[in-house]
């Protein structure tokens, strides 16, 4: 019985040492919330990251046509529409 108690105490001491070094394990609820919020989102490459970053910054097409009198081509230049 004393061997079991000593083993448990050693295990507790090791667990406390690891907790102090690395912090507590995250809870299941915390992992789920972070995943749903997108905190640990993985990107395939930098283009995916840039696209996601600029998601809310896309210009309105009607506003672009009204300001520039044309449409934007693939190079980012505006041209007149006949």
């Amino acid at each position: 019985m004393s061997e079991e108690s000593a083993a448990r105490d050693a295990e507790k001491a090791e667990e406390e040492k690891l907790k102090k070094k690395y912090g507590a394990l995250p809870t299941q609820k915390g992992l789920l919330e972070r995943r749903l919020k997108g905190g640990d989102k993985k990107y395939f490459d930098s283009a995916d990251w840039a696209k996601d970053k600029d998601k809310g910054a896309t210009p309105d097409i009607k506003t672009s046509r009204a300001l520039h009198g044309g449409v934007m081509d693939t190079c980012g230049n505006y041209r007149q529409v006949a």
Side-chain angles (χ1 to χ4, degrees):
M1 181 129 174
S2 65
E3 289 178 17
E4 291 178 18
S5 178
R8 250 185 295 171
D9 290 342
E11 188 176 324
K12 286 266 188 199
E14 185 70 22
E15 187 176 330
E16 288 299 321
K17 180 180 167 186
L18 291 173
K19 189 181 275 189
K20 190 179 286 186
K21 186 173 184 179
Y22 297 110
L25 290 174
T27 62
Q28 194 72 7
K29 183 180 177 186
L31 290 173
L32 180 63
E33 287 175 359
R34 189 171 68 205
R35 171 140 294 180
L36 289 174
K37 193 167 51 169
D40 59 347
K41 188 168 185 173
K42 304 284 190 267
Y43 296 102
F44 180 72
D45 59 6
S46 60
D48 290 339
W49 175 82
K51 186 174 83 172
D52 194 38
K53 182 180 173 199
D54 293 337
K55 196 175 271 186
T58 56
D60 185 21
I61 293 175
K62 292 178 184 176
T63 306
S64 297
R65 285 185 183 172
L67 291 176
H68 302 285
V71 294
M72 186 184 294
D73 62 7
T74 57
C75 297
N77 302 318
Y78 285 95
R79 60 182 173 80
Q80 295 295 327
V81 178

